[in-house]
Amino acid sequence: MCPLSVRESGQIDLLRRQYLQLLEPDLLAIPSVEMLRKPNVQQLLYNEMFNSDNSMFAPTGRYQLRVLKELVLRLESSFTDPEEDEISDELMACLTTLMASPTLPPSTAALQKSYVTYTTPMYGPSSDEPSAVTTLESPSLLSSSGATGLRTWPAALSLGTYLASHTGKACVDGKNILELGAGTGFLSIFCAKHAGALHVLATDGDGGAVDDIGANIYLNGLEGSGKMETAVLKWGHALIEELLSGQNEGRTYDVVLGADVIYDIDAIPALVATLLDLFNKYPRIEALIAATVRNENTLKAFINACNTNNFYLQDVGFHTPPMSQQSGFFHPTTTQIRILCIKNSRAAKVVEQS
């Protein structure tokens, strides 16, 4: 059996990264049927994606079945010689097992939480083992209360892509981080685990989301590390002083993160009030806010509110490549996502003068 080429191994690795992030099967970069026919490729696919002994955080059986069915369908439709063309016994046995497993109604399946593993994008060749963040989340859901913390949103993945770059990592490396609207905790965990942050406080206005962040901290081996804490923080409730007084005395926060926190125009005054509280407490703190531009008026309202409060605001000018060119933290780019750097205007003037 011939060894795989570097290109073939790279294609399988890309597919595995997408698969573990639970991308829809029609978005997966499935290799050509010529490549899929190779026995060593099928063996690697089984080992890397469908062998339960090799994955601690495997996707749900329902998702595995959808992907494996697609692979088998492509293979079977390409076969021309029954004597020569075949699908590995391991893949077929796995397909049989998955098809025989009890299935949930679609409405129930949508409520099922799944392990989702987000692999860090690759910036140039590296011999390092790829880093990843695993969360337990409901990719299809909002909560009944309207809270958005049950899934990781594209803006968080876009900001994570920026923070994984050489330029972005410098923003959080060696810093104390506070995240607003942390949701699943993906960004906070990435900063604490892989981006060199000294300490991260992940906050959300929904108590259930904060509990889930705690579970995801455990999944990523950060429980008891002293690098992460969680807290409920409702924007605009003037609780910043009370909240931070319960944290480690003497800690100064350097960076505020927020992803997809500008989605409701009615919540903007409270969000900006919380940013103002943070700027007043930590004059040199900087905020990085990733905003999906679903509605131009909502973003304009946020920018106007920042200007009214004399915040210094600048677009970092980072653009994620199209999904077909992404190597990790996969997310669509059809809707614009802007990453804004926001500072206390007084601190910005001091930096400009120095």
Side-chain angles (χ1 to χ4, degrees), residues 172 174-178 188 191-192 196-202 226-230 247-248 251 253-255:
V172 294
K175 307 287 180 64
N176 292 319
I177 313 296
L178 188 153
S188 288
C191 289
L198 284 179
H199 181 270
V200 183
L201 174 60
K227 295 198 70 173
M228 280 199 70
E229 293 178 88
T230 62
Q247 308 300 318
N248 187 27
R251 178 177 291 130
Y253 285 91
D254 307 295
V255 179

Side-chain angles (χ1 to χ4, degrees), residues 17 118-123 130-133 160-161 163-165 190 194 327-329:
R17 288 164 171 252
Y118 301 93
T119 311
T120 307
M122 295 182 292
Y123 288 95
S131 55
V133 171
T161 300
L163 295 177
S165 70
F190 171 69
H194 300 301
S327 59
F329 293 174

Side-chain angles (χ1 to χ4, degrees), residues 38-282:
K38 296 182 177 183
N40 51 353
V41 169
Q42 294 184 28
Q43 186 64 52
L44 188 58
L45 284 172
Y46 172 72
N47 289 336
E48 293 289 322
M49 295 169 57
F50 300 106
N51 185 347
S52 58
D53 293 336
N54 292 342
S55 179
M56 185 182 299
F57 303 117
T60 61
R62 181 171 178 266
Y63 178 77
Q64 292 185 52
L65 179 59
R66 292 175 65 201
V67 174
L68 188 50
K69 272 186 173 180
E70 180 62 29
L71 291 172
V72 169
L73 178 63
R74 292 193 185 200
L75 278 167
E76 290 180 338
S77 64
S78 73
F79 287 169
T80 57
D81 186 346
E83 297 295 325
E84 295 291 331
D85 299 327
E86 62 180 8
I87 301 173
S88 76
D89 292 341
E90 290 92 344
L91 287 177
M92 291 308 297
C94 184
L95 179 64
T96 301
T97 300
L98 290 170
M99 291 183 69
S101 301
T103 57
L104 298 172
S107 58
T108 305
L111 299 172
Q112 188 179 21
K113 285 190 173 183
S114 308
Y115 290 118
V116 186
T117 297
Y118 301 93
T119 311
T120 307
M122 295 182 292
Y123 288 95
S126 173
S127 59
D128 296 338
E129 191 70 20
S131 55
V133 171
T134 297
T135 62
L136 187 61
E137 58 181 88
S138 303
S140 305
L141 290 182
L142 297 176
S143 75
S144 57
S145 64
T148 57
L150 297 179
R151 56 176 289 191
T152 299
W153 293 85
L157 296 169
S158 180
L159 184 50
T161 300
Y162 173 65
L163 295 177
S165 70
H166 298 300
T167 302
K169 187 176 180 181
C171 297
V172 294
D173 190 14
K175 307 287 180 64
N176 292 319
I177 313 296
L178 188 153
E179 185 179 5
L180 300 174
T184 63
F186 158 76
L187 269 178
S188 288
I189 292 168
F190 171 69
C191 289
K193 190 175 182 182
H194 300 301
L198 284 179
H199 181 270
V200 183
L201 174 60
T203 72
D204 199 280
D206 182 86
V210 171
D211 291 340
D212 288 344
I213 294 171
N216 288 331
I217 289 172
Y218 172 79
L219 287 182
N220 288 275
L222 291 171
E223 187 177 53
S225 67
K227 295 198 70 173
M228 280 199 70
E229 293 178 88
T230 62
V232 175
L233 174 61
K234 296 184 182 295
W235 303 338
H237 282 224
L239 295 178
I240 290 288
E241 200 68 44
E242 179 182 336
L243 169 68
L244 297 179
S245 65
Q247 308 300 318
N248 187 27
E249 281 191 23
R251 178 177 291 130
T252 298
Y253 285 91
D254 307 295
V255 179
V256 177
L257 298 179
D260 235 332
V261 292
I262 310 171
Y263 58 89
D264 181 357
I265 197 167
D266 293 332
I268 287 174
L271 172 60
V272 172
T274 295
L275 289 174
L276 183 60
D277 284 346
L278 287 166
F279 288 148
N280 286 336
K281 184 169 181 62
Y282 307 111

Side-chain angles (χ1 to χ4, degrees), residues 313-329:
L313 188 147
Q314 184 178 30
D315 194 310
V316 303
F318 180 78
H319 301 287
T320 305
M323 189 181 285
S324 61
Q325 298 175 25
Q326 295 171 16
S327 59
F329 293 174

Side-chain angles (χ1 to χ4, degrees), residues 272 275-276 279 305-307 309-313 342-343 345:
V272 172
L275 289 174
L276 183 60
F279 288 148
C306 288
N307 290 334
N309 285 276
N310 295 315
F311 295 168
Y312 175 84
L313 188 147
I342 306 169
K343 304 177 184 178
S345 59

